Coordinates of all heavy atoms in Angstrom, one line a residue:
M1256 N 12.4 -2.4 8.1 CA 12.0 -2.1 6.8 C 10.6 -2.7 6.5 O 10.1 -3.5 7.3 CB 13.0 -2.8 5.8 CG 13.3 -1.9 4.6 SD 12.9 -2.5 3.0 CE 13.4 -4.1 2.9
T1257 N 9.9 -2.3 5.5 CA 8.7 -2.8 5.1 C 8.5 -2.7 3.6 O 9.3 -2.0 2.9 CB 7.5 -2.1 5.8 OG1 6.2 -2.6 5.4 CG2 7.5 -0.6 5.4
Y1258 N 7.6 -3.3 3.0 CA 7.2 -3.1 1.6 C 6.0 -2.2 1.6 O 5.2 -2.1 2.6 CB 6.9 -4.4 0.9 CG 8.2 -5.1 0.5 CD1 9.2 -5.5 1.5 CD2 8.6 -5.3 -0.8 CE1 10.4 -6.1 1.2 CE2 9.8 -5.9 -1.1 CZ 10.7 -6.3 -0.1 OH 11.9 -6.9 -0.5
V1259 N 5.8 -1.5 0.5 CA 4.9 -0.4 0.4 C 4.0 -0.5 -0.8 O 4.6 -0.7 -1.9 CB 5.6 1.0 0.5 CG1 4.6 2.2 0.4 CG2 6.5 1.1 1.7
I1260 N 2.7 -0.3 -0.7 CA 1.9 -0.2 -1.9 C 1.7 1.2 -2.3 O 1.4 2.1 -1.5 CB 0.5 -0.9 -1.6 CG1 0.7 -2.4 -1.2 CG2 -0.4 -0.8 -2.8 CD1 -0.5 -3.2 -0.9
T1261 N 1.9 1.5 -3.6 CA 1.9 2.8 -4.1 C 0.7 3.1 -5.0 O -0.2 2.3 -5.2 CB 3.3 3.1 -4.7 OG1 3.4 2.3 -5.9 CG2 4.4 2.9 -3.7
E1262 N 0.9 4.2 -5.7 CA -0.3 4.9 -6.4 C -0.9 4.0 -7.5 O -2.1 4.0 -7.7 CB 0.2 6.1 -7.1 CG -0.9 6.9 -7.7 CD -0.4 8.4 -8.0 OE1 0.0 9.0 -7.1 OE2 -0.5 8.8 -9.2
A1263 N -0.2 3.1 -8.1 CA -0.7 2.3 -9.2 C -1.8 1.4 -8.7 O -2.7 0.9 -9.5 CB 0.3 1.5 -9.9
C1264 N -1.9 1.1 -7.4 CA -2.9 0.2 -6.8 C -4.3 1.0 -6.8 O -5.3 0.3 -6.7 CB -2.5 -0.2 -5.5 SG -3.6 -1.5 -4.8
I1265 N -4.3 2.3 -6.7 CA -5.5 3.0 -6.6 C -6.5 2.7 -7.7 O -6.1 2.8 -8.9 CB -5.3 4.5 -6.5 CG1 -4.4 4.8 -5.2 CG2 -6.6 5.3 -6.4 CD1 -4.0 6.3 -5.1
D1266 N -7.6 2.2 -7.4 CA -8.7 1.8 -8.3 C -8.3 0.6 -9.1 O -9.0 0.3 -10.1 CB -9.1 3.0 -9.2 CG -9.7 4.1 -8.5 OD1 -10.3 3.9 -7.4 OD2 -9.5 5.3 -8.9
T1267 N -7.2 -0.1 -8.7 CA -6.9 -1.4 -9.3 C -7.2 -2.5 -8.4 O -8.1 -3.4 -8.7 CB -5.4 -1.4 -9.7 OG1 -5.1 -0.4 -10.6 CG2 -5.0 -2.8 -10.3
K1268 N -6.6 -2.5 -7.2 CA -6.9 -3.5 -6.2 C -7.0 -5.0 -6.7 O -8.0 -5.7 -6.5 CB -8.3 -3.2 -5.5 CG -8.2 -2.0 -4.6 CD -9.5 -1.8 -3.9 CE -9.8 -2.8 -2.8 NZ -11.1 -2.5 -2.0
D1269 N -6.0 -5.3 -7.4 CA -5.9 -6.7 -8.1 C -6.0 -7.8 -7.0 O -6.7 -8.8 -7.2 CB -4.6 -6.8 -8.9 CG -4.5 -8.2 -9.4 OD1 -5.2 -8.5 -10.4 OD2 -3.7 -9.0 -8.9
Q1270 N -5.3 -7.6 -5.9 CA -5.4 -8.5 -4.8 C -4.6 -9.8 -4.9 O -4.6 -10.7 -4.1 CB -6.8 -8.9 -4.3 CG -7.6 -7.6 -4.0 CD -8.9 -7.9 -3.4 OE1 -9.1 -8.8 -2.6 NE2 -9.9 -7.0 -3.6
S1271 N -3.8 -10.0 -6.0 CA -3.0 -11.1 -6.2 C -1.9 -11.2 -5.1 O -1.5 -12.3 -4.6 CB -2.2 -11.1 -7.5 OG -3.1 -11.1 -8.6
C1272 N -1.5 -10.0 -4.6 CA -0.5 -10.0 -3.5 C -1.0 -10.6 -2.2 O -0.2 -11.2 -1.5 CB -0.1 -8.5 -3.2 SG -1.5 -7.4 -2.9
I1273 N -2.3 -10.6 -2.0 CA -2.8 -11.2 -0.8 C -2.7 -12.7 -0.8 O -2.3 -13.3 0.2 CB -4.3 -10.8 -0.6 CG1 -4.4 -9.3 -0.4 CG2 -5.0 -11.6 0.5 CD1 -5.8 -8.7 -0.4
D1274 N -2.8 -13.3 -2.0 CA -2.7 -14.7 -2.1 C -1.3 -15.2 -1.8 O -1.1 -16.3 -1.3 CB -3.1 -15.2 -3.5 CG -4.5 -14.9 -3.8 OD1 -5.3 -14.8 -2.8 OD2 -4.9 -14.8 -5.0
V1275 N -0.3 -14.4 -2.0 CA 1.1 -14.8 -1.8 C 1.8 -14.3 -0.5 O 2.9 -14.8 -0.2 CB 2.0 -14.4 -3.0 CG1 1.5 -15.0 -4.3 CG2 2.2 -12.9 -3.1
C1276 N 1.1 -13.5 0.2 CA 1.7 -12.9 1.4 C 1.7 -13.9 2.6 O 0.6 -14.3 3.0 CB 1.0 -11.6 1.8 SG 1.6 -10.9 3.3
P1277 N 2.8 -14.4 3.0 CA 2.8 -15.4 4.1 C 2.5 -14.8 5.5 O 2.3 -15.5 6.4 CB 4.3 -15.9 4.1 CG 5.1 -14.7 3.6 CD 4.2 -14.0 2.6
A1278 N 2.5 -13.4 5.6 CA 2.3 -12.8 6.9 C 0.9 -12.3 7.0 O 0.5 -11.7 8.1 CB 3.3 -11.6 7.0
D1279 N 0.1 -12.4 6.0 CA -1.3 -12.0 6.0 C -1.4 -10.5 6.5 O -2.2 -10.2 7.3 CB -2.1 -12.9 6.9 CG -3.6 -12.8 6.7 OD1 -4.0 -12.3 5.6 OD2 -4.4 -13.1 7.6
C1280 N -0.6 -9.7 5.9 CA -0.5 -8.3 6.4 C -1.0 -7.3 5.4 O -0.7 -6.1 5.5 CB 0.9 -8.0 6.8 SG 2.1 -8.0 5.5
I1281 N -1.7 -7.8 4.3 CA -2.2 -6.8 3.3 C -3.7 -6.7 3.5 O -4.4 -7.6 3.5 CB -1.8 -7.3 1.9 CG1 -0.3 -7.5 1.8 CG2 -2.4 -6.3 0.9 CD1 0.1 -8.0 0.4
S1282 N -4.1 -5.4 3.6 CA -5.5 -5.1 3.9 C -6.2 -4.8 2.6 O -5.7 -4.1 1.7 CB -5.6 -3.9 4.8 OG -6.9 -3.4 4.8
A1283 N -7.4 -5.4 2.4 CA -8.3 -5.2 1.2 C -9.7 -5.0 1.7 O -10.5 -5.9 1.6 CB -8.2 -6.3 0.3
E1284 N -10.0 -3.8 2.2 CA -11.3 -3.6 2.8 C -12.2 -3.0 1.8 O -11.8 -2.1 1.0 CB -11.2 -2.6 4.0 CG -10.5 -3.3 5.2 CD -10.4 -2.3 6.4 OE1 -11.1 -1.3 6.4 OE2 -9.6 -2.6 7.3
V1285 N -13.5 -3.4 1.8 CA -14.5 -2.7 1.0 C -14.5 -1.2 1.4 O -14.5 -0.9 2.6 CB -15.9 -3.4 1.2 CG1 -17.0 -2.6 0.5 CG2 -15.8 -4.8 0.8
G1286 N -14.6 -0.4 0.4 CA -14.6 1.1 0.7 C -13.3 1.7 0.5 O -13.2 2.9 0.4
D1287 N -12.2 0.9 0.5 CA -10.9 1.5 0.2 C -10.6 1.4 -1.3 O -11.1 0.4 -2.0 CB -9.8 0.7 0.9 CG -9.7 1.0 2.4 OD1 -10.0 2.2 2.7 OD2 -9.4 0.1 3.1
R1288 N -10.0 2.3 -1.9 CA -9.6 2.3 -3.3 C -8.3 1.7 -3.6 O -7.9 1.6 -4.7 CB -9.7 3.8 -3.8 CG -11.1 4.4 -3.8 CD -11.0 5.9 -4.1 NE -10.5 6.1 -5.5 CZ -9.9 7.2 -5.8 NH1 -9.8 8.2 -5.0 NH2 -9.4 7.3 -7.1
M1289 N -7.6 1.3 -2.6 CA -6.3 0.6 -2.8 C -6.1 -0.3 -1.6 O -6.8 -0.3 -0.6 CB -5.1 1.6 -2.9 CG -4.9 2.4 -1.6 SD -3.5 3.5 -1.7 CE -2.1 2.4 -1.5
L1290 N -5.1 -1.2 -1.8 CA -4.7 -2.1 -0.7 C -3.5 -1.4 0.1 O -2.9 -0.5 -0.4 CB -4.1 -3.4 -1.3 CG -5.0 -4.1 -2.3 CD1 -4.4 -5.3 -2.8 CD2 -6.4 -4.3 -1.8
F1291 N -3.3 -1.9 1.3 CA -2.3 -1.4 2.2 C -1.5 -2.5 2.9 O -2.1 -3.5 3.3 CB -2.9 -0.5 3.3 CG -3.8 0.7 2.8 CD1 -5.1 0.5 2.6 CD2 -3.2 1.9 2.4 CE1 -5.9 1.6 2.1 CE2 -3.9 2.9 2.0 CZ -5.3 2.8 1.8
I1292 N -0.3 -2.3 3.1 CA 0.6 -3.3 3.8 C 0.8 -2.7 5.2 O 1.2 -1.6 5.4 CB 1.9 -3.5 3.1 CG1 1.7 -4.2 1.8 CG2 2.9 -4.3 4.0 CD1 3.0 -4.3 0.9
D1293 N 0.6 -3.6 6.2 CA 0.8 -3.2 7.6 C 2.3 -3.3 7.9 O 2.9 -4.4 7.9 CB 0.1 -4.2 8.5 CG 0.1 -3.7 10.0 OD1 1.1 -3.0 10.3 OD2 -0.7 -4.1 10.8
P1294 N 3.0 -2.1 8.1 CA 4.4 -2.1 8.2 C 4.9 -2.8 9.5 O 6.1 -3.2 9.6 CB 4.8 -0.6 8.2 CG 3.5 0.0 8.7 CD 2.4 -0.8 8.2
D1295 N 4.0 -3.0 10.5 CA 4.4 -3.7 11.7 C 4.4 -5.2 11.6 O 4.9 -5.9 12.4 CB 3.5 -3.2 12.8 CG 3.7 -1.8 13.2 OD1 4.8 -1.3 13.0 OD2 2.7 -1.1 13.7
L1296 N 3.7 -5.7 10.5 CA 3.6 -7.1 10.4 C 4.3 -7.7 9.2 O 4.6 -8.9 9.1 CB 2.1 -7.5 10.2 CG 1.2 -7.2 11.4 CD1 -0.3 -7.6 11.1 CD2 1.7 -7.9 12.7
C1297 N 4.7 -6.8 8.2 CA 5.4 -7.2 7.0 C 6.8 -7.8 7.4 O 7.5 -7.2 8.2 CB 5.6 -6.0 6.1 SG 6.6 -6.3 4.6
I1298 N 7.1 -9.0 6.9 CA 8.3 -9.6 7.2 C 9.4 -9.4 6.1 O 10.4 -10.1 6.1 CB 8.1 -11.1 7.5 CG1 7.5 -11.8 6.2 CG2 7.3 -11.3 8.7 CD1 7.5 -13.3 6.4
D1299 N 9.1 -8.5 5.2 CA 10.1 -8.1 4.2 C 10.6 -9.3 3.3 O 11.7 -9.3 2.9 CB 11.4 -7.5 4.8 CG 11.0 -6.3 5.7 OD1 10.0 -5.7 5.5 OD2 11.8 -6.1 6.7
C1300 N 9.6 -10.2 3.0 CA 10.0 -11.3 2.2 C 10.1 -11.0 0.7 O 10.8 -11.7 -0.1 CB 9.1 -12.5 2.4 SG 7.4 -12.2 1.8
G1301 N 9.3 -10.0 0.2 CA 9.4 -9.6 -1.2 C 8.5 -10.4 -2.1 O 8.4 -10.2 -3.3
A1302 N 7.7 -11.4 -1.5 CA 6.9 -12.3 -2.4 C 5.8 -11.5 -3.1 O 5.4 -12.0 -4.2 CB 6.3 -13.3 -1.5
C1303 N 5.4 -10.4 -2.6 CA 4.3 -9.7 -3.2 C 4.7 -8.9 -4.5 O 3.8 -8.7 -5.3 CB 3.6 -8.8 -2.2 SG 4.8 -7.7 -1.4
I1304 N 5.9 -8.6 -4.6 CA 6.3 -7.7 -5.7 C 6.0 -8.2 -7.0 O 5.4 -7.6 -7.9 CB 7.9 -7.4 -5.6 CG1 8.1 -6.5 -4.4 CG2 8.4 -6.8 -6.9 CD1 9.5 -6.0 -4.4
S1305 N 6.4 -9.5 -7.3 CA 6.2 -10.0 -8.7 C 4.7 -10.4 -8.9 O 4.3 -10.6 -10.1 CB 7.1 -11.2 -8.9 OG 6.8 -12.2 -7.9
S1306 N 3.9 -10.5 -7.9 CA 2.5 -10.8 -8.1 C 1.7 -9.6 -8.5 O 0.6 -9.8 -9.0 CB 1.9 -11.4 -6.7 OG 1.7 -10.3 -5.8
C1307 N 2.1 -8.4 -8.4 CA 1.4 -7.3 -8.7 C 1.4 -6.9 -10.2 O 2.5 -6.7 -10.7 CB 1.9 -6.0 -7.9 SG 0.9 -4.5 -8.3
P1308 N 0.3 -6.9 -10.8 CA 0.2 -6.7 -12.3 C 0.5 -5.3 -12.7 O 0.8 -5.0 -13.9 CB -1.2 -7.1 -12.7 CG -2.0 -6.9 -11.5 CD -1.1 -7.2 -10.3
V1309 N 0.5 -4.4 -11.7 CA 0.7 -2.9 -12.1 C 2.0 -2.4 -11.4 O 2.2 -1.2 -11.3 CB -0.5 -2.1 -11.8 CG1 -1.7 -2.4 -12.7 CG2 -0.9 -2.2 -10.3
D1310 N 2.8 -3.3 -10.9 CA 4.1 -2.9 -10.2 C 3.9 -1.8 -9.2 O 4.7 -0.9 -9.1 CB 5.1 -2.4 -11.3 CG 5.5 -3.5 -12.3 OD1 5.5 -4.7 -11.8 OD2 5.7 -3.2 -13.4
A1311 N 2.9 -2.0 -8.3 CA 2.6 -1.0 -7.3 C 3.4 -1.2 -6.0 O 3.3 -0.3 -5.2 CB 1.1 -1.0 -7.0
I1312 N 4.0 -2.3 -5.9 CA 4.7 -2.6 -4.6 C 6.2 -2.5 -4.7 O 6.8 -3.0 -5.6 CB 4.3 -4.0 -4.1 CG1 2.8 -4.2 -4.1 CG2 4.9 -4.3 -2.7 CD1 2.3 -5.7 -3.8
L1313 N 6.7 -1.7 -3.7 CA 8.2 -1.5 -3.7 C 8.7 -1.7 -2.3 O 7.9 -1.5 -1.3 CB 8.6 -0.1 -4.2 CG 8.4 0.2 -5.6 CD1 7.1 0.8 -5.9 CD2 9.5 1.1 -6.1
A1314 N 9.9 -2.1 -2.1 CA 10.6 -2.1 -0.8 C 10.7 -0.6 -0.4 O 10.9 0.3 -1.2 CB 11.9 -2.7 -0.9
E1315 N 10.6 -0.4 0.9 CA 10.7 1.0 1.4 C 11.9 1.7 0.9 O 11.9 2.8 0.5 CB 10.7 0.9 3.0 CG 11.0 2.2 3.7 CD 11.0 2.0 5.2 OE1 10.8 0.9 5.7 OE2 11.3 3.0 5.9
E1316 N 13.0 1.0 0.9 CA 14.3 1.6 0.5 C 14.4 1.9 -1.0 O 15.3 2.6 -1.4 CB 15.5 0.6 0.9 CG 15.4 -0.7 0.2 CD 16.4 -1.7 0.8 OE1 17.0 -1.4 1.8 OE2 16.5 -2.8 0.2
D1317 N 13.5 1.3 -1.8 CA 13.5 1.6 -3.2 C 12.5 2.6 -3.7 O 12.3 2.9 -4.9 CB 13.2 0.3 -4.0 CG 14.3 -0.8 -3.8 OD1 15.5 -0.3 -3.6 OD2 14.0 -2.0 -3.8
L1318 N 11.8 3.2 -2.7 CA 10.7 4.2 -3.1 C 11.4 5.4 -3.7 O 12.3 6.0 -3.1 CB 10.0 4.6 -1.8 CG 8.9 3.7 -1.3 CD1 8.4 4.2 0.1 CD2 7.7 3.5 -2.2
P1319 N 10.9 5.8 -4.9 CA 11.3 7.1 -5.5 C 10.8 8.2 -4.6 O 9.8 8.0 -3.9 CB 10.8 7.1 -6.9 CG 9.7 6.1 -6.9 CD 9.9 5.1 -5.8
R1320 N 11.4 9.3 -4.7 CA 11.0 10.4 -3.8 C 9.5 10.8 -3.9 O 8.9 11.0 -2.9 CB 11.9 11.7 -4.2 CG 11.5 12.9 -3.3 CD 12.5 14.0 -3.7 NE 13.8 13.8 -3.4 CZ 14.5 14.4 -2.4 NH1 13.9 15.4 -1.8 NH2 15.7 14.1 -2.1
E1321 N 9.0 10.7 -5.1 CA 7.6 11.2 -5.3 C 6.6 10.2 -4.7 O 5.4 10.5 -4.5 CB 7.3 11.4 -6.7 CG 7.3 10.2 -7.6 CD 8.6 9.9 -8.3 OE1 9.7 10.4 -7.7 OE2 8.7 9.3 -9.3
W1322 N 7.1 9.0 -4.3 CA 6.2 8.0 -3.7 C 6.5 7.7 -2.3 O 5.9 6.8 -1.7 CB 6.2 6.7 -4.5 CG 5.5 6.7 -5.8 CD1 4.8 7.8 -6.3 CD2 5.5 5.7 -6.9 NE1 4.3 7.4 -7.6 CE2 4.8 6.2 -7.9 CE3 6.1 4.5 -7.0 CZ2 4.6 5.5 -9.1 CZ3 5.9 3.7 -8.1 CH2 5.1 4.2 -9.2
E1323 N 7.4 8.5 -1.7 CA 7.8 8.3 -0.3 C 6.6 8.5 0.6 O 6.5 7.9 1.7 CB 8.9 9.2 0.1 CG 10.3 8.7 -0.4 CD 11.4 9.7 -0.1 OE1 11.1 10.7 0.5 OE2 12.5 9.3 -0.4
L1324 N 5.6 9.3 0.2 CA 4.5 9.6 1.1 C 3.6 8.3 1.2 O 2.8 8.2 2.2 CB 3.6 10.7 0.5 CG 3.1 10.6 -1.0 CD1 1.7 10.0 -0.9 CD2 3.1 11.9 -1.7
Y1325 N 3.7 7.3 0.3 CA 2.9 6.1 0.5 C 3.4 5.3 1.6 O 2.6 4.4 2.1 CB 2.9 5.3 -0.9 CG 2.0 6.0 -1.9 CD1 2.4 7.0 -2.7 CD2 0.7 5.6 -1.9 CE1 1.6 7.6 -3.6 CE2 -0.2 6.2 -2.8 CZ 0.2 7.2 -3.6 OH -0.6 7.8 -4.5
L1326 N 4.6 5.4 2.1 CA 5.1 4.7 3.3 C 4.2 5.1 4.5 O 3.7 4.3 5.2 CB 6.5 5.1 3.6 CG 7.1 4.6 4.9 CD1 7.1 3.0 4.9 CD2 8.6 5.1 5.1
E1327 N 4.0 6.4 4.7 CA 3.2 6.9 5.7 C 1.7 6.6 5.5 O 1.0 6.3 6.4 CB 3.4 8.4 5.9 CG 2.7 9.0 7.2 CD 3.1 8.2 8.4 OE1 4.3 7.8 8.5 OE2 2.3 7.9 9.3
L1328 N 1.3 6.6 4.2 CA -0.1 6.3 3.9 C -0.5 4.9 4.3 O -1.6 4.6 4.8 CB -0.4 6.6 2.5 CG -1.8 6.3 2.0 CD1 -2.9 7.2 2.7 CD2 -2.0 6.6 0.5
N1329 N 0.4 3.9 4.0 CA 0.1 2.5 4.3 C 0.0 2.4 5.8 O -0.9 1.8 6.3 CB 1.3 1.6 3.8 CG 1.1 1.3 2.3 OD1 0.9 0.1 2.0 ND2 1.2 2.2 1.4
R1330 N 0.9 3.0 6.6 CA 0.8 3.0 8.0 C -0.5 3.6 8.5 O -1.2 3.1 9.4 CB 2.0 3.6 8.7 CG 1.9 3.6 10.2 CD 3.2 4.2 10.8 NE 4.4 3.4 10.6 CZ 4.7 2.3 11.3 NH1 3.9 1.9 12.3 NH2 5.8 1.6 11.1
L1331 N -0.8 4.8 8.0 CA -2.0 5.5 8.4 C -3.3 4.7 8.3 O -4.1 4.8 9.2 CB -2.2 6.8 7.5 CG -3.4 7.7 7.9 CD1 -3.3 8.2 9.3 CD2 -3.4 8.8 6.8
H1332 N -3.4 3.8 7.3 CA -4.6 3.0 7.1 C -4.8 2.2 8.4 O -6.0 2.0 8.8 CB -4.4 2.1 5.9 CG -5.5 1.0 5.9 ND1 -6.8 1.3 5.4 CD2 -5.5 -0.3 6.3 CE1 -7.5 0.2 5.6 NE2 -6.7 -0.8 6.0
F1333 N -3.8 1.7 9.0 CA -4.0 0.8 10.1 C -4.2 1.5 11.4 O -4.5 1.0 12.5 CB -2.8 -0.2 10.2 CG -2.7 -1.1 9.0 CD1 -1.9 -0.8 8.0 CD2 -3.5 -2.2 8.9 CE1 -1.9 -1.6 6.8 CE2 -3.5 -3.0 7.8 CZ -2.7 -2.7 6.7
E1334 N -3.9 2.9 11.4 CA -4.1 3.7 12.6 C -5.4 4.5 12.5 O -6.1 4.7 13.5 CB -2.9 4.7 12.7 CG -1.6 4.0 13.0 CD -0.4 4.9 12.9 OE1 -0.6 6.1 12.4 OE2 0.7 4.5 13.3
N1335 N -5.8 4.9 11.3 CA -7.0 5.7 11.1 C -7.4 5.5 9.6 O -7.1 6.3 8.7 CB -6.6 7.2 11.3 CG -7.8 8.1 11.3 OD1 -8.8 7.7 10.7 ND2 -7.7 9.3 11.9
A1336 N -8.2 4.5 9.4 CA -8.6 4.1 8.0 C -9.4 5.3 7.3 O -9.1 5.5 6.1 CB -9.5 2.8 8.0
P1337 N -10.3 5.9 8.0 CA -11.0 7.1 7.3 C -10.1 8.2 6.8 O -10.2 8.7 5.7 CB -12.0 7.6 8.4 CG -12.2 6.4 9.2 CD -10.9 5.7 9.3
A1338 N -9.1 8.4 7.6 CA -8.1 9.5 7.3 C -7.3 9.0 6.0 O -6.9 9.8 5.2 CB -7.1 9.8 8.4
A1339 N -7.0 7.7 6.0 CA -6.2 7.2 4.8 C -7.1 7.3 3.6 O -6.6 7.6 2.5 CB -5.8 5.8 5.1
R1340 N -8.4 7.0 3.7 CA -9.2 7.1 2.5 C -9.3 8.5 2.0 O -9.3 8.8 0.8 CB -10.6 6.6 2.9 CG -10.7 5.1 3.0 CD -12.2 4.6 3.3 NE -12.1 3.2 3.8 CZ -12.7 2.7 4.8 NH1 -13.5 3.5 5.5 NH2 -12.6 1.5 5.1
E1341 N -9.4 9.4 3.0 CA -9.4 10.8 2.6 C -8.2 11.2 1.8 O -8.2 12.0 0.8 CB -9.6 11.7 3.9 CG -10.4 12.9 3.7 CD -10.7 13.5 5.1 OE1 -11.6 13.0 5.8 OE2 -10.1 14.5 5.4
R1342 N -7.1 10.8 2.3 CA -5.8 11.1 1.7 C -5.7 10.5 0.3 O -5.2 11.2 -0.6 CB -4.6 10.5 2.6 CG -3.3 10.9 2.2 CD -2.8 12.2 2.8 NE -1.4 12.5 2.4 CZ -1.1 13.4 1.5 NH1 -2.1 14.1 0.9 NH2 0.1 13.7 1.2
V1343 N -6.2 9.3 0.1 CA -6.2 8.7 -1.2 C -7.0 9.6 -2.2 O -6.6 9.8 -3.3 CB -6.7 7.3 -1.2 CG1 -7.0 6.8 -2.6 CG2 -5.7 6.4 -0.5
D1344 N -8.1 10.0 -1.7 CA -9.0 10.8 -2.6 C -8.3 12.2 -2.9 O -8.6 12.8 -4.0 CB -10.3 11.1 -1.9 CG -11.2 9.9 -1.9 OD1 -11.0 8.9 -2.7 OD2 -12.2 9.8 -1.1
T1345 N -7.5 12.7 -2.0 CA -6.8 13.9 -2.3 C -5.7 13.7 -3.3 O -5.5 14.5 -4.2 CB -6.2 14.5 -1.0 OG1 -7.2 14.7 0.0 CG2 -5.4 15.7 -1.2
L1346 N -5.0 12.6 -3.2 CA -3.9 12.3 -4.1 C -4.4 12.0 -5.5 O -3.8 12.4 -6.5 CB -3.1 11.0 -3.6 CG -2.3 11.3 -2.3 CD1 -1.9 10.0 -1.7 CD2 -1.1 12.2 -2.6
V1347 N -5.5 11.2 -5.6 CA -6.0 10.8 -6.9 C -7.5 10.9 -6.8 O -8.2 10.0 -6.3 CB -5.6 9.3 -7.3 CG1 -6.2 9.0 -8.6 CG2 -4.1 9.2 -7.3
P1348 N -8.1 12.1 -7.1 CA -9.5 12.3 -7.0 C -10.3 11.2 -7.8 O -9.9 10.8 -8.9 CB -9.7 13.7 -7.7 CG -8.4 14.3 -7.5 CD -7.4 13.3 -7.6
A1349 N -11.3 10.7 -7.1 CA -12.1 9.6 -7.7 C -12.8 10.1 -9.0 O -13.3 11.3 -9.1 CB -13.2 9.2 -6.8
G1350 N -12.7 9.3 -10.1 CA -13.2 9.7 -11.4 C -14.6 9.1 -11.5 O -15.3 9.4 -12.4
Ligands
SF4_1597 FE1 3.6 -9.8 2.7 FE2 6.2 -10.4 2.1 FE3 4.9 -8.5 0.7 FE4 5.5 -8.0 3.3 S1 7.0 -8.3 1.6 S2 3.6 -7.5 2.3 S3 5.2 -10.1 4.2 S4 4.4 -10.7 0.8

């Protein structure tokens, strides 16, 4: 299992989750419009959930159907960051 950052993070990037993550598995790169959790490093502790001011983080098993694509999007960032950025822009066009 992993935790997943979803749509509410786009253009928010509060980064409070990074401060509480014991696995240091949340990416906040300049040029990205959202943060991403590395599913291979997340230890499923849940510490990040309550730190997020926009409730963007959910456990994989709690993802509603419309946000299931964010599971793959978080993984994609760590495999191909430019492709993930493109996908974010498709999902929520930059204003
Ligand atoms: Fe980090 Fe824990 Fe959140 Fe995973 S669930 S991203 S390990 S704080």
